[in-house]
Amino acid sequence: MATTRTRRRWPWLVVAAVLLALGAWLTLGAEPPPRPPPPQVKMPRRMSLEEKARGEERQTWVPLPVLDGGVAPPPSRPRDPVMALMPPSVKRGAVVAEVNAILNSELGGLMMDCLFEGDPGALAALRDGGFDPVTKVDRMAFIDDALVITGDFRGANVDRLLPTTPTRIGYGQRGQLLEFPRRDGGMNVVGLWDSQLLVTGADEAATRALLDRLETSGPVPRGVLDESDAWGEVYGAVSAEQLAELLGRENEALAAIVRDNAEGMQMHLDVSHDVGLVGDVRVRDPAKGDELRKALGSALSLARLEAQAAGRQDEAQLLDLALVRGLEGSSFRLEAGLPHDFLKASLERCVERQRARRLERDAERAVERDGGGP
Amino acid sequence: MRQVLRIAVDLLKEASRRKWFLGLFGAITLVLLGLGLSLQLDVVDGAIAGSKLFGSLFADDIVTVHRALGPLYLSVAYAGFYGGAFFLALACSDFAPELLAPGRIEHLLSLPVARWQLLFGTYLGVVTLAALGTAYGALGLTVLLGVKLGAWSPQLLLGASVGWVGFCALYAVMLTAAFFVRSAAVSGSLGVATLVLGVLASFREPIAEVMDPGPGRALFRAAMVPFPRLASLATSAARLAAEQPIEPETLFRLVAGCFIFSAALLSVAAWRFERKDF
């Protein structure tokens, strides 16, 4: 009897079924996790309508005209007092912070905690003096060595905010000079203007100069900042020297290029959610502007590479947000950002540090007390 | 194994004479040459300080190379995955039907070659062809940008190789289909259909969620289970190319799933081939 050898074919199907099942099991749920959206930072590139309205509301101050031989000068336009006192030039910079907006932003609470967690007594002392910085301060301006605080000082007992009771001297149309002695025997002078503006310069002359400029009527040279620059939560003008110091702390070559080529930078920061920085850098010679642009771009790129090589991914991601725009006329724009989550984490670490310091100090005091006891 | 390789090499020789593939390699070469000659990049310490395309200013901003190239690699990887899969599904659709053409198959079967060797040799030849095309494009762009930027990154090649795995699954379906219906049109259509189903399978749960509860939803869920997650694979390939973080375990499961799916389909093809009379 002849036998025929039949090839068994069904094992192929069994293998196929087993493999299909295995493949299905393996890929079930194998989904790449949704990628967190790339950090988007709002850049304050121009004045918003809200900021325009805010600026217009602040333009309330019209100095009394000085009659020159009985002839009235043309009426001055209403000014924002902070902008009215800005000098035409600065050595280091003039920066205005919209404190109220910052403290009432999403991260305002954490910022306050970061400032005062280490010394809650300081905040309590301010509030006892009828001055709650959270509700009463509107803006703070740093003009070289001078500090200007705007807000509502009407209910505040300013005397209690100072180390000793000051002597009050009327100054100009609405100002007052508060004089109080220093430890070295000299006198400190703080200017209070219309219960809405506190001014303290490097010395008395500087304080007086700021108040004088504020109350000057008629045409004056444009200040280093004016109403059209008031956008973002922090804005200001920084000198080339200051910019070189800021950018070239660890890079002398970059600092030298900044000093040689930059005239200064006008900057705007938005901190409403993330921190977005836009800086317009003015160059001395547009023909050499590219040298400065490339030096800045190169510094950013190298910093990113260093951060990545060191495994500091957060920092590398931040530096990826930075860019240097093209030269337009005699200036170019620099943009950089800090995402909200990064900032929040940094502030939380700051609060923790402050809290730890306070607890450490309290413990030391307790030990001192116990040691000094019976 | 030698027979499998010989068949694969024969297929590559045959492909080299086809206009489709000459056109593909010619197009890749033209794009690379065009970019190489027309793209001018001003690079300073790892930052792109300006770029010109065909002599016109393309971008004037200074950004880090990573920021500039990330979106480029991402889009190239996505375009390469879907465009490449679609093109190759059409261009490779008639290899298997021609293999099975009357006269040719009888001749091949008269040679000392096992049927499974013929099957796997054909599969290996086509996926090698796809790998060559993918590698040529990815390597070309990597070299081009490497020379222009002075910074070398293998990420695009890695992403492209992950994308190639997706085509392996498509061609397994196409080859298997040819043993049931000897038609280039059917083979190519099923390749494209598998691509679409692979995308749907990747979004199985979100799609099922919007369906009315009932047997339709359950059927959809069950029907999508065996298909490889091609959209997820494309996403992983693109993220790999753009140096974005990926989960190695997920990537392994997606890639292994594609290979296992391909092996399962080839087993079906082998079963069909073994029992088919010519």
Side-chain angles (χ1 to χ4, degrees):
Chain A
M1 196 172 81
T3 56
T4 53
R5 186 171 155 268
T6 54
R7 280 184 299 171
R8 289 188 302 173
R9 298 171 191 116
W10 58 266
W12 286 113
L13 283 183
V14 173
V15 170
V18 169
L19 288 175
L20 267 184
L22 179 65
W25 170 77
L26 199 63
T27 50
L28 260 186
E31 302 298 327
R35 192 166 74 90
Q40 296 287 336
V41 175
K42 187 182 155 200
M43 295 290 174
R45 295 192 177 102
R46 61 189 69 83
M47 186 183 277
S48 68
L49 288 175
E50 291 82 14
E51 286 162 337
K52 194 168 182 228
R54 181 184 70 183
E56 282 169 358
E57 276 172 22
R58 285 172 173 166
Q59 290 171 31
T60 53
W61 168 235
V62 182
L64 291 175
V66 178
L67 297 178
D68 183 11
V71 181
S76 300
R77 67 180 173 91
R79 299 288 314 266
D80 172 349
V82 174
M83 296 302 162
L85 59 69
M86 287 288 167
S89 64
V90 283
K91 284 179 191 153
R92 290 202 302 281
V95 176
V96 180
E98 297 279 348
V99 176
N100 192 261
I102 294 169
L103 293 181
N104 287 298
S105 70
E106 286 177 46
L107 295 174
L110 273 174
M111 285 181 193
M112 280 299 287
D113 290 347
C114 175
L115 284 172
F116 290 106
E117 185 66 35
D119 188 8
L123 183 61
L126 284 172
R127 285 176 174 157
D128 287 348
F131 186 75
D132 184 349
V134 178
T135 55
K136 299 287 187 180
V137 174
D138 185 33
R139 283 176 287 176
M140 284 173 83
F142 304 88
I143 307 163
D144 285 338
D145 294 323
L147 169 68
V148 179
I149 302 174
T150 69
D152 184 2
F153 294 94
R154 277 171 302 186
N157 186 349
V158 177
D159 295 3
R160 282 193 63 180
L161 302 177
L162 300 174
T164 54
T165 306
T167 309
R168 290 172 178 259
I169 305 162
Y171 190 79
Q173 297 165 37
R174 297 193 186 181
Q176 278 185 334
L177 293 176
L178 313 182
E179 288 183 352
F180 56 96
R182 280 200 307 257
R183 279 185 187 165
D184 62 4
M187 291 297 277
N188 268 327
V189 177
V190 172
L192 180 63
W193 186 84
D194 200 26
S195 295
Q196 57 169 297
L197 209 134
L198 203 65
V199 183
T200 168
D203 50 33
E204 186 179 342
T207 305
R208 284 172 182 267
L210 287 169
L211 289 175
D212 288 345
R213 187 170 164 81
L214 169 60
E215 294 195 340
T216 302
S217 65
V220 285
R222 185 192 188 276
V224 69
L225 291 173
D226 76 6
E227 285 82 352
S228 64
D229 301 316
W231 36 284
E233 274 81 41
V234 179
Y235 40 88
V238 180
S239 69
E241 185 55 41
Q242 189 70 15
L243 191 61
E245 224 172 87
L246 281 171
L247 296 172
R249 259 182 207 151
E250 292 170 10
N251 187 342
E252 262 309 307
L254 176 63
I257 293 174
V258 171
R259 277 190 200 100
D260 289 348
N261 293 286
E263 257 189 354
M265 179 176 83
Q266 193 168 89
M267 62 169 194
H268 300 270
L269 267 91
D270 183 304
V271 295
S272 54
H273 182 68
D274 319 278
V275 172
L277 163 72
V278 169
D280 290 317
V281 181
R282 293 184 313 282
V283 293
R284 290 185 210 283
D285 178 3
K288 289 185 180 171
D290 268 342
E291 187 187 349
L292 180 57
R293 284 180 64 234
K294 285 179 183 175
L296 287 171
S298 151
L300 289 169
S301 172
L302 290 176
R304 187 197 170 275
L305 290 173
E306 273 176 28
Q308 197 175 30
R312 302 192 303 268
Q313 292 303 327
D314 281 355
E315 198 180 320
Q317 207 176 25
L318 283 183
L319 288 160
D320 247 355
L321 291 174
L323 69 86
V324 183
R325 298 258 180 220
L327 195 63
E328 281 181 20
S330 59
S331 70
F332 63 85
R333 186 162 272 193
L334 178 73
E335 293 186 2
L338 279 175
H340 177 83
D341 291 343
F342 183 89
L343 196 65
K344 192 176 168 200
S346 304
L347 285 170
E348 281 168 349
R349 280 199 296 274
C350 166
V351 174
E352 283 306 312
R353 269 200 310 275
Q354 295 281 49
R355 190 171 295 149
R357 272 182 208 152
R358 177 166 55 84
L359 291 174
E360 214 172 276
R361 263 198 319 269
D362 290 350
E364 279 170 12
R365 279 179 198 151
V367 169
E368 278 170 21
R369 264 201 316 273
D370 293 347
Chain B
M1 191 61 196
R2 189 178 291 172
Q3 296 292 3
V4 172
L5 288 176
R6 185 173 293 167
I7 294 162
V9 170
D10 283 347
L11 188 136
L12 289 175
K13 283 180 186 163
E14 188 186 329
S16 69
R17 290 188 291 271
R18 291 190 175 196
K19 286 179 186 166
W20 280 90
F21 294 99
L22 291 175
L24 171 68
F25 281 86
I28 294 173
T29 308
L30 271 179
V31 169
L32 290 174
L33 273 177
L35 271 178
L37 295 173
S38 63
L39 181 66
Q40 287 173 271
L41 295 174
D42 184 6
V43 182
V44 188
D45 294 330
I48 296 181
S51 53
K52 283 182 178 175
L53 194 63
F54 294 106
S56 309
L57 191 65
F58 185 62
D60 198 17
D61 297 342
I62 302 179
V63 292
T64 61
V65 168
H66 181 261
R67 175 166 166 174
L69 292 193
L72 174 74
Y73 281 160
L74 200 73
S75 47
V76 165
Y78 271 120
F81 184 93
Y82 289 110
F86 188 78
F87 175 85
L88 288 171
L90 298 181
C92 299
S93 61
D94 63 345
F95 279 118
E98 279 193 12
L99 176 89
L100 298 169
R104 187 176 179 190
I105 187 68
E106 287 86 352
H107 166 69
L108 288 170
L109 291 177
S110 68
L111 299 172
V113 182
R115 290 189 177 205
W116 70 266
Q117 288 172 330
L118 206 55
L119 171 75
F120 284 97
T122 305
Y123 180 76
L124 186 65
V126 171
V127 295
T128 305
L129 185 66
L132 288 175
T134 308
Y136 184 55
L139 190 65
L141 194 58
T142 301
V143 170
L144 177 84
L145 292 174
V147 169
K148 288 199 177 276
L149 296 170
W152 298 84
S153 164
Q155 294 302 120
L156 189 61
L157 271 171
L158 292 176
S161 57
V162 169
W164 165 80
V165 174
F167 178 72
C168 293
L170 295 192
Y171 193 66
V173 173
M174 292 165 66
L175 184 58
T176 305
F179 287 98
F180 287 89
V181 183
R182 198 180 69 78
S183 158
V186 171
S187 182
S189 306
L190 280 175
V192 175
T194 307
L195 179 61
V196 174
L197 288 168
V199 173
L200 292 178
S202 302
F203 300 103
R204 177 172 163 265
E205 283 309 314
I207 294 173
E209 289 297 318
V210 296
M211 294 171 84
D212 289 332
R217 184 199 273 189
L219 189 67
F220 171 78
R221 275 203 170 112
M224 288 298 113
V225 166
F227 286 98
R229 302 330 196 225
L230 293 179
S232 304
L233 193 75
T235 302
S236 297
R239 286 187 191 175
L240 200 60
E243 287 189 49
Q244 289 175 0
I246 52 161
E247 279 189 353
E249 190 205 326
T250 304
L251 182 62
F252 168 77
R253 287 168 68 185
L254 290 168
V255 169
C258 268
F259 279 132
I260 292 172
F261 175 82
S262 307
L265 266 288
L266 291 178
S267 300
V268 174
W271 165 78
R272 176 72 179 166
F273 198 13
E274 291 285 359
R275 66 196 291 265
K276 199 170 170 72
D277 291 325
F278 294 97

